[in-house]
Amino acid sequence: MEKIKMTTPLVEMDGDEMTRILWGMIKEKLILPFVDLKTEYYDLGLLNRNATKDQVTVDAANAARRLGVAVKCATITPNRQRMEEYPELTEMWRSPNGTIRAILDGTAFRAPIVLPCIKPVVKNWEMPITIARHAYGDMYKAVDMATDEPGTATLTFKGESGAEKTLHVQTVDGPAVWQGQHNKEESIRAFARSCFQYAIAQKQDLWFSTKDTIAKVYDGEFKRIFEEEYETSYKAEFEKLGIAYFYTLIDDAVARAVRSRGGFIWALKNYDGDVMSDMVAAAFGSLAMMTSVLVSPDGTMEFEASHGTVTRHYYRYLQGERTSTNPMATIFAWSGALRRRGELDGLPQLVEFGRRLEAASLETLADGVMTKDLLPLVEPGFQARGVDSEEFLEAIAARLA
Ligand code: NAP
Ligand code: MG
């Protein structure tokens, strides 16, 4: 069989621990036999980040901007415990995802992989709900304080021009708590663009919700910027694709989402996204089945699994055990990246391969062959057999071939 040709490389960001092991197996069993793979390889494993003083992460992110498509393995974000585990570390390096997100100015879209044999807790959800969380500002960059006597708080902005604006916040007759929040027009606009870009790429409706009836100016700005971007840059493409942009209040959106069939992208402010992404992930079943795509306002996409490096399994693997670690989210990161590469380069065979890889993985699960983390989640009466990661990947490979 002739291998599928690629024209432009994609950026491959290798990672750590159990997911690094799965990474190698996925390439060897599911990709290299079928695709004449072209990648620009960056080793984001902790030891190489340390050896390069984290320059490799910056280089990888810049390569993603240049080439437009990247696939990333989960990586360790060092903390105090990791500093002891790896005494050679010269610094507590920053989260690679944080570094990459800052360079791409991107928004992360998180979506579950949905299976007929694992019903979501919300029984009418037939299709995935993808959550886009704005990753800058609001409560996450706020200052707050407590005061213990009667008094008055004001809010003052001092412009570089010398102009000042002051608002009376509240006069209180006893102890109180206070908070000052901000967001930046530039960040909101980049968020909006990433959302419209991703909705077009996925050919799905985009919902956006805030509380602009209460926060008339603050949330009103979010609503206005989204509308402005939609009207000036994306409306024509949305209409051509037959998809919709839909704005509603956050409480109305929650009620509609719960009653929906799923199958849309839901853009949320920072705090709302924090809450809703965990709610949606829990309702759909399993962290091991959540995928994540980082999308920049110019349409660059970086695909990855939402879960971490699965440390506990890695230490069992090092003891010689064949672990049953679920590779689905990492497989879908690869298939997503290959599809996107194929779409950008006009290679229908590569797009089709990505689709087939996903179908073969889903059919393997539908046949009841799965990693052990999924066994407790399947519907009663569904016949399933728990296998280790390697057997699972071989079953998918057999279908693909
Ligand atoms: P984790 O790697 O997601 O694993 C937590 C637990 O969830 C595992 O011990 C396992 O439970 C279960 N699990 C997660 N993914 C699974 C899979 N694919 N198959 C089967 N079970 C799975 O989170 P963590 O242990 O908190 O973090 C480990 C490291 O990952 C940390 O160093 C952290 O910095 C890093 N991390 C990286 C990213 C990223 O690169 N995007 C994201 C999150 C965390 P059982 O042990 O009960 O089987
Ligand atoms: Mg959360």
Side-chain angles (χ1 to χ4, degrees):
M1 195 174 61
E2 194 155 336
K3 289 193 192 181
I4 296 160
K5 293 265 179 299
M6 291 177 66
T7 46
T8 321
L10 54 84
V11 178
E12 174 182 356
M13 306 180 188
D14 209 342
D16 287 300
E17 297 192 316
M18 201 60 218
T19 41
R20 189 181 179 104
I21 307 296
L22 293 177
W23 193 262
M25 290 186 195
I26 290 168
K27 278 177 67 179
E28 179 209 313
K29 293 182 196 297
L30 300 182
I31 303 192
L32 295 174
F34 307 101
V35 180
D36 197 7
L37 186 66
K38 277 193 183 165
T39 72
E40 241 180 57
Y41 178 87
Y42 294 85
D43 181 1
L44 265 52
L46 181 57
L47 294 178
N48 194 46
R49 275 180 277 145
N50 190 58
T52 62
K53 299 195 180 321
D54 212 20
Q55 185 60 36
V56 68
T57 309
V58 175
D59 292 346
N62 284 326
R65 287 183 68 170
R66 176 164 43 82
L67 295 173
V69 185
V71 58
K72 179 180 170 289
C73 180
T75 46
I76 293 171
T77 298
N79 53 16
R80 213 158 271 137
Q81 192 193 331
R82 297 289 196 176
M83 299 301 283
E84 283 164 24
E85 187 182 345
Y86 295 90
E88 59 271 60
L89 294 187
T90 54
E91 234 178 87
M92 209 192 287
W93 303 108
R94 291 183 51 195
S95 148
N97 286 35
T99 302
I100 295 165
R101 190 163 63 210
I103 291 172
L104 295 184
D105 193 12
T107 298
F109 294 76
R110 227 177 165 211
I113 301 166
V114 178
L115 303 174
C117 62
I118 300 178
K119 295 266 182 275
V121 175
V122 181
K123 64 178 188 299
N124 44 289
W125 285 357
E126 293 161 22
M127 292 171 286
I129 295 174
T130 301
I131 300 282
R133 172 183 172 187
H134 185 211
Y136 177 84
D138 303 348
M139 200 208 287
Y140 302 81
K141 270 206 187 303
V143 289
D144 40 18
M145 66 176 173
T147 53
D148 57 8
E149 61 168 326
T152 295
T154 58
L155 178 67
T156 300
F157 172 80
K158 290 189 175 139
E160 277 185 1
S161 68
E164 268 193 36
K165 221 173 173 176
T166 294
L167 286 179
H168 174 247
V169 176
Q170 194 64 262
T171 297
V172 293
D173 55 8
V177 284
W178 310 89
Q179 186 173 68
Q181 292 189 17
H182 84 288
N183 218 303
K184 296 198 286 191
E185 163 156 356
E186 193 187 19
S187 173
I188 301 167
R189 200 173 292 284
F191 174 51
R193 287 182 180 157
S194 297
C195 291
F196 289 119
Q197 291 266 6
Y198 194 63
I200 289 168
Q202 293 298 105
K203 303 181 184 60
Q204 282 186 330
D205 290 352
L206 176 68
W207 296 19
F208 181 47
S209 53
T210 72
K211 192 72 177 177
D212 70 293
T213 45
I214 302 298
K216 286 191 174 63
V217 175
Y218 198 106
D219 285 10
E221 264 309 275
F222 278 80
K223 181 182 177 185
R224 183 187 69 76
I225 291 167
F226 264 72
E227 253 161 34
E228 191 176 284
E229 284 297 324
Y230 178 65
E231 292 293 332
T232 55
S233 306
Y234 302 101
K235 192 176 179 180
E237 188 69 20
F238 267 55
E239 284 173 354
K240 204 167 90 195
L241 292 171
I243 57 175
Y245 168 58
F246 172 60
Y247 175 84
T248 188
L249 288 171
I250 177 80
D251 31 7
D252 179 51
V254 169
R256 284 172 189 262
V258 168
R259 279 188 258 104
S260 77
R261 296 170 56 212
F264 58 92
I265 296 161
W266 188 3
L268 290 152
K269 288 177 63 195
N270 211 345
Y271 172 78
D272 300 338
D274 188 352
V275 176
M276 288 304 157
S277 61
D278 286 351
M279 192 273 283
V280 167
F284 273 107
S286 163
L287 181 62
M289 298 286 277
M290 293 296 289
T291 63
S292 180
V293 188
L294 183 73
V295 182
S296 75
D298 68 7
T300 296
M301 292 189 193
E302 180 238 298
F303 296 79
E304 63 179 316
S306 292
H307 59 75
T309 59
V310 210
T311 311
R312 289 204 330 152
H313 293 215
Y314 181 58
Y315 280 94
R316 302 209 316 257
Y317 169 85
L318 290 180
Q319 308 267 304
E321 193 182 317
R322 289 167 67 105
T323 68
S324 184
T325 317
N326 190 336
M328 282 294 287
T330 307
I331 296 171
F332 273 59
W334 273 100
S335 62
L338 291 170
R339 288 169 76 144
R340 178 72 178 167
R341 185 77 278 165
E343 275 162 18
L344 292 181
D345 296 351
L347 300 172
Q349 282 190 315
L350 194 60
V351 177
E352 179 60 15
F353 174 76
R355 198 197 61 74
R356 284 195 188 174
L357 175 55
E358 291 172 9
S361 309
L362 293 170
E363 284 163 15
T364 303
L365 292 169
D367 265 1
V369 179
M370 52 184 62
T371 48
K372 290 174 184 156
D373 55 304
L374 297 179
L375 294 178
L377 303 175
V378 298
E379 288 293 288
F382 182 83
Q383 291 296 316
R385 181 163 65 89
V387 296
D388 64 47
S389 304
E390 210 165 335
E391 287 171 284
F392 180 64
L393 292 170
E394 274 157 11
I396 298 171
R399 262 178 197 282
L400 257 182

